């Protein structure tokens, strides 16, 4: 397309990015209208967004396409994450997305990034096909759930003596890593939780003085980012107790809550989610490109 230029971005581009994001995602398969400017800014901080690695497509001085990229270490290697790619209506189908991708990859390779990760809705078959053509491979499948609190089933077995649930600080996140059978997604990683710049609620469950369960809830997105129980303490109602504590603390201030990016092969967690009343609303692929 004539008069189109591609540039690396800076934090000063955020107002334009927010406007372009809202326009580009206005017809997305999932409703993104709930995102406010502060929500999006904080979500991108959570995801480690580096504006100098992010790119924009400009028609004159108007931002009409973007690829916002987070940087961090992933499985011991320098990695990047596509925190949001979009092209506004009227500029699609003219090669804008490939132009963004080419410039972004050049910058990531200069920074010696080894892996580029993204998440895509499984139903978005054209995007999945495009990413595969670009060299991305599907590495995991995620299920995304929503729970209407009025339909929640929060009955747990009778309380075991010595169980307590308390608010904890982000400094304790390493204490709970051994509870996970699989690594949380980039969006829900412990590094992402530690970067959250506004309110985050973290709960630790103790049994006999030892940590046995954990829940992380982010009010800004109304997401349960992590919920896990120590392997030796499962099927005793620990996760349900943590969920009930969150419900009590929210006190009806939200009608629903989301549980995002549950590994599709974690049958035990999927069964618990169904029993608690969560309903599946989306499935995603996690895809990766080795650089």
């Amino acid at each position: 397309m004539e008069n189109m230029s591609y540039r690396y971005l800076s934090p000063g581009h955020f107002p334009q990015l927010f406007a372009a994001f809202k326009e580009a995602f206005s017809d997305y398969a999932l409703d993104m209208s709930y995102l406010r400017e502060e929500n999006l800014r904080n979500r991108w901080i959570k995801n480690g967004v580096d504006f100098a690695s992010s790119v924009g497509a400009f028609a004159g001085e108007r931002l009409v396409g973007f690829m916002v990229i987070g940087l961090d270490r992933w499985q011991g290697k320098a990695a990047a994450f596509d925190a949001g790619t979009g092209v506004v209506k009227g500029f699609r189908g003219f090669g804008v997305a490939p132009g963004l991708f080419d410039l972004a990859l050049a910058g990531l390779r200069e920074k010696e990034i080894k892996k580029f990760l993204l998440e895509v809705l499984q139903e978005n078959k054209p995007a999945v096909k495009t990413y595969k053509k670009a060299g991305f491979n599907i590495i995991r499948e995620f299920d995304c759930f929503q729970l209407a609190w009025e339909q929640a089933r929060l009955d747990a077995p009778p309380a075991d003596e010595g169980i307590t649930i308390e608010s904890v600080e982000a400094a304790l996140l390493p204490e709970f890593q051994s509870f996970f059978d699989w690594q949380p997604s980039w969006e829900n990683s412990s590094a992402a939780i530690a970067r959250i710049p506004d309110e985050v609620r973290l709960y630790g469950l103790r049994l006999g003085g030892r940590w046995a369960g954990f829940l992380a809830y982010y009010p800004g997105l109304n997401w349960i980012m992590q919920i896990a129980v120590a392997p030796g303490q499962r099927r005793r109602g620990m996760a349900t107790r943590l969920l009930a504590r969150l419900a009590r603390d929210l006190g009806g201030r939200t009608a629903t809550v989301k549980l995002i990016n549950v590994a599709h092969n974690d049958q035990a967690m999927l069964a618990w989610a169904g029993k608690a009343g969560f309903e599946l609303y989306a499935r995603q692929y996690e895809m990766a490109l080795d650089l």
Side-chain angles (χ1 to χ4, degrees), residues 110-137:
E110 283 185 7
K111 293 179 171 69
E112 297 185 343
I113 299 300
K114 301 303 182 184
K115 190 176 291 287
F116 191 13
L117 295 150
L118 59 83
E119 295 166 13
V120 59
L121 289 174
Q122 293 184 24
E123 68 182 70
N124 191 350
K125 297 186 186 302
V128 173
K129 183 178 180 181
T130 298
Y131 289 133
K132 284 183 176 180
K133 187 175 180 180
F136 284 86
N137 294 307

Side-chain angles (χ1 to χ4, degrees), residues 192-204:
I193 293 171
R195 283 191 293 261
I196 290 174
D198 50 337
E199 181 188 9
V200 59
R201 298 187 180 196
L202 308 178
Y203 298 95

Side-chain angles (χ1 to χ4, degrees), residues 249-265:
D249 286 359
L250 290 178
R253 287 191 293 276
T254 68
T256 62
V257 68
K258 290 182 177 179
L259 177 63
I260 304 296
N261 290 349
V262 177
H264 183 66
N265 61 357

